[in-house]
Amino acid sequence: MKTNTFGEAIEAIKKGAKISRLGWNGKEQYVELGKCISYANAKGELINADHKDLRDRVLVFVGTNGVQVGWLASQADILAEDWMIGWD
């Protein structure tokens, strides 16, 4: 199985690939690019977070217990070379 650096994985995710670490325990866990991000505020109003610097895109972690919008890589993730790209 070919593995990749974090930089290679990020370039792939920008093109629409799912990425995951070989070392992650949950086999169904991955990160993908989320677009058209919006949320409901405390009043129940739907707000579209059109952030100019992010171009309305964020990394989304899809795990075995749900989804985390705005996923941040750890130091271990950034330095790892066991990233898998585009599997199903």
Side-chain angles (χ1 to χ4, degrees):
M1 172 177 300
K2 181 182 181 328
T3 58
N4 304 272
T5 66
F6 184 66
E8 292 166 330
I10 290 298
E11 288 305 313
I13 208 170
K14 290 178 186 177
K15 296 174 184 171
K18 294 177 182 177
I19 62 172
S20 180
R21 296 255 334 260
L22 186 60
W24 283 349
N25 291 331
K27 299 302 177 198
E28 301 299 318
Q29 298 180 141
Y30 59 89
V31 177
E32 64 183 346
L33 189 64
K35 299 180 181 182
C36 304
I37 305 303
S38 59
Y39 66 95
N41 67 15
K43 296 178 184 178
E45 300 166 320
L46 189 60
I47 308 296
N48 184 349
D50 185 18
H51 195 284
K52 301 287 186 249
D53 292 336
L54 297 175
R55 295 188 345 213
D56 201 20
R57 304 179 307 166
V58 297
L59 294 179
V60 177
F61 176 81
V62 179
T64 54
N65 292 321
V67 174
Q68 176 187 346
V69 177
W71 177 79
L72 298 174
S74 69
Q75 291 290 312
D77 291 329
I78 292 168
L79 297 172
E81 297 185 1
D82 68 343
W83 284 95
M84 298 180 296
I85 296 172
W87 82 104
D88 284 317

